Structures are given as structure tokens and as C-alpha cells.
Amino acid sequence: MSQRVNGVIARAKGAPVEVATIIVPDPGPGEAVVKIQACGVCHTDLHYREGGINDDFPFLLGHEAAGIVESVGAGVTDVVPGDFVVLNWRAVCGDCRACRKGKPWYCFNTHNATQKMTLEDGTELSPALGIGAFVEKTLVHAGQCTKVNPRARPAAVGLLGCGVMAGIGAAINTGGVTRGDSVAVIGCGGVGDGAIVGSALAGATTIIAVDTDPQKLEWARKFGATHTVNAREQDVVTAVQELTGGHGADVVVEAVGRPETYKTAFYARDLAGTVVLVGVPTPEMTVELPLLDIFGRGGALKSSWYGDCLPTRDFPMLTELYLQGRLDLDAFVSEEIRLDQVEDAFTKMHQGGVLRSVVLFS
């Protein structure tokens, strides 16, 4: 029997979000219903509200979440009711050409729930990143449920579901940061600070945080940045070169997703260095670079999908690091809020006063 629960939707482009009654069907084959305990307010949710992803309104927002599996459909064996899980938006298929090549983190046919959650009048909802977790209970594909240690705090490990994982993975999985490397991270929000944390975990000795907000630069130091550059006050390329022996950084992570910051990242790297784009651009953005510079500087220009993570591998491992005190996920949680405060959280996100607002469910 379907359930009626409260959730946050974006009904139209640019309109304030609202709390509405959501109809959640019983799980079908391969699906699971998850009772959400915590869900972070991610910039991607704001992108959805602003029409920056697509125009499939209305959206059921939220995707950076942890909770308890309540029920599963036919054929589900990897999770059972009662499991504590972090939700992921790249449930790998195991059979596409990427999976068959042994690179499932590039899966080209990821799974989502087949059934649709709806409003009371039957209007089908588009769940953000195939999850939709600003809701008391959500319907997902069972492969989107990654079991982790139940001793972990939901508000903290739920952030592995998107932003923090995207940043850590951008540095380690995509950028290949390793011991002794120099790294510059442009944009020090939740994703950028995740990249700083990942660089520190990997053994980078020079970690340069770049932003225009002094508060964010201060936070970046707490996450492991060895140097900071205020882009309003200094030329970023020159500053990064001066901090890396005149060469530029081995890896530059661009966590903003804008043409001007991407160009800065390109020229702030060392010869044969790596640029990783993990910031999400909007559809109209373009970037122009001299082709000779792309050739002459060598190295690699990469984009990072979800930190090129494999949730079944990375979520449990990072959760254990958190429980051991080696990964401070709690530091990413700026405030804990109610479901009806999501619109306020978007405002605070614009103002730059928070890393992550996290919705808690009773």
C-alpha cells in the first residue's frame, strides 16, 4: 500500500520550494523504500530549482542522504529492512561497456527506481539525481542503497552521498593525488573542502585553497589547506606558482564550474599537471583556450563524475575513517534544520555562511 509523507518540491523554475504531501508507492522489483534520517542541502538542489539541470518540473529535491531501509521489492538481496544506508545516485548496472571493462565508476547505464513518486493529484515527480530525499521516505533502486556502519551519525555520513564524496574523489580517484604532490583547489565550499580533505588523506604536502571569501579560506585551513589565496586580492596563477617553486600545482581541482575559474585552473597547473573539473557548469557556459596551450602544456584535463567513486567501495571505507577520527565529516555540518527550512538554507548558501545545512528527520 502506498504511503503519504511530507517532502520538499520545486514546482516551477525559480519559485520558492514548498512542503507538499508525497505519495510513495510500495517498492517493486529491484526497488527499496528508505526512511530518511538526514539529508544535506547541496548546491545541485538549487541548480534543479533554478532550471539549471533540466526542466522536468516538479522536482522532489534532496539527494545527499542517509537512512534506514524500510522495505524492499522482489529480487532485492543486497539490502534488507533495518539496514543503515547512504544513498548514492550512481547505482552501477554491472553490464554496460564501462562495467564490463572493470571501470564501474564510469557506468553508462546507472539504475533508478522504475516507479514514480507523485503528488496527491497524481502529478509525477522528478526526483533530484534519481533520489529525492527531502522527504520522510523515498523510493529508490536498491542499488542506490549503500550499507555503512550503523554507528555513524546520519547527518555526517549522509554527506558522502554527494558533495564530500565528489570532492574527495576528485582529488584521489580522478586527480590521482599522491604523497608529496602539490594541489590547488579553486572554490572552497563543501566539494572544494572535500578535495582538500582528500588531498591531505593522500599525502599531498602543499595544498592551496583558493576562494574569494575569507571565511571559506579559514574553513579550508581547518580541513587541511597549507596555504590560502584570496582571489579578490591576488592573481591566482601567480600565487600558486610562487607557492610551488615557480612551476604550478601538480593537480588543480576546479570546484566552481565557471569558464573563468576553469581557465585559471588550466594555467595554475604545472607542465604535465592535471586539471580536474568537479564544479557543475550550467548548459549555456562555454570555455575557449588556445589549442597550442592545450598541446604545449601536456598533462590531462579531466572531468570528475561524482568523484569517480564506487559507492560500495568508497562509502564504507570513508565511514570507517570517520569513526576512527581520521576524517572529520562533522566539520562539514554547519547547521541542522527542519524540512520547512530548506528555502532559508538556499538563501544562506548564496550568502556563503554555511558549508552544509542538513535536514534532520525525527
Side-chain angles (χ1 to χ4, degrees):
M1 184 178 295
S2 62
Q3 303 184 64
R4 284 171 165 76
V5 297
N6 292 320
V8 169
I9 66 167
R11 198 177 290 274
K13 181 177 179 179
V17 301
E18 59 185 273
V19 177
T21 299
I22 311 299
I23 309 301
V24 182
D26 284 344
E31 296 175 339
V33 169
V34 178
K35 183 177 181 180
I36 303 299
Q37 294 179 307
C39 184
V41 182
C42 176
H43 204 277
T44 302
D45 293 305
L46 185 57
H47 272 313
Y48 273 104
R49 195 200 74 174
E50 296 301 309
I53 305 294
N54 57 54
D55 60 356
D56 295 334
F57 291 92
F59 292 109
L60 175 58
L61 299 181
H63 58 278
E64 202 175 63
I68 302 293
V69 175
E70 181 180 83
S71 58
V72 299
V76 175
T77 57
D78 289 342
V79 293
V80 299
D83 281 344
F84 177 58
V85 297
V86 174
L87 299 183
N88 74 79
W89 47 269
R90 290 189 61 79
V92 301
C93 73
D95 194 47
C96 71
R97 60 193 185 278
C99 290
R100 290 197 301 270
K101 288 178 181 178
K103 298 179 179 179
W105 49 89
Y106 292 141
C107 180
F108 303 136
N109 190 29
T110 53
H111 293 306
N112 292 315
T114 301
Q115 299 182 88
K116 290 289 189 179
M117 292 177 280
T118 68
L119 297 175
E120 287 186 291
D121 64 3
T123 301
E124 292 187 348
L125 294 166
S126 299
L129 292 177
I131 292 177
F134 286 154
V135 65
E136 293 164 326
K137 296 178 184 180
T138 193
L139 177 76
V140 294
H141 189 280
Q144 294 179 274
C145 301
T146 305
K147 290 190 290 187
V148 299
N149 193 319
R151 293 192 297 111
R153 189 166 79 99
V157 295
L159 302 185
L160 294 174
C162 188
V164 174
M165 182 71 254
I168 292 175
I172 297 176
N173 297 334
T174 313
V177 175
T178 189
R179 57 190 181 276
D181 274 351
S182 58
V183 181
V185 177
I186 300 176
C188 298
V191 175
D193 284 338
I196 289 169
V197 167
S199 299
L201 284 172
T205 50
T206 301
I207 304 173
I208 305 164
V210 181
D211 206 287
T212 58
D213 185 338
Q215 177 63 71
K216 288 185 176 180
L217 292 174
E218 183 60 33
W219 286 336
R221 282 196 177 273
K222 294 179 180 178
F223 285 110
T226 59
H227 304 80
T228 60
V229 174
N230 189 320
R232 291 192 191 279
E233 301 172 354
Q234 298 174 266
D235 179 79
V236 174
V237 173
T238 300
V240 171
Q241 289 173 340
E242 289 175 350
L243 292 167
T244 55
H247 306 301
D250 296 310
V251 178
V252 182
V253 177
E254 201 277 47
V256 180
R258 295 192 58 83
E260 58 270 27
T261 46
Y262 187 82
K263 283 186 176 181
T264 297
F266 178 82
Y267 288 109
R269 67 179 176 135
D270 196 359
L271 291 174
T274 299
V275 174
V276 177
L277 174 64
V278 67
V280 181
T282 52
E284 78 283 358
M285 292 180 178
T286 61
V287 65
E288 182 176 333
L289 288 165
L291 191 58
L292 184 60
D293 284 0
I294 295 174
F295 173 79
R297 297 180 72 85
L301 307 179
K302 297 183 176 184
S303 58
S304 185
W305 299 345
Y306 205 1
D308 290 338
C309 77
L310 186 59
T312 53
R313 175 196 65 195
D314 295 336
F315 288 9
M317 177 266 293
L318 293 171
T319 298
E320 291 306 315
L321 291 179
Y322 164 69
L323 291 171
Q324 293 168 15
R326 298 163 62 189
L327 173 58
D328 189 4
L329 294 175
D330 291 313
F332 285 89
V333 181
S334 301
E335 62 172 0
E336 297 173 348
I337 64 173
R338 301 186 310 271
L339 192 61
D340 60 1
Q341 294 176 302
V342 169
E343 184 66 32
D344 291 338
F346 284 149
T347 300
K348 292 177 182 177
M349 183 186 297
H350 268 308
Q351 294 170 344
V354 295
L355 277 178
R356 273 297 186 271
S357 302
V358 178
V359 177
L360 294 188
F361 296 81
S362 56

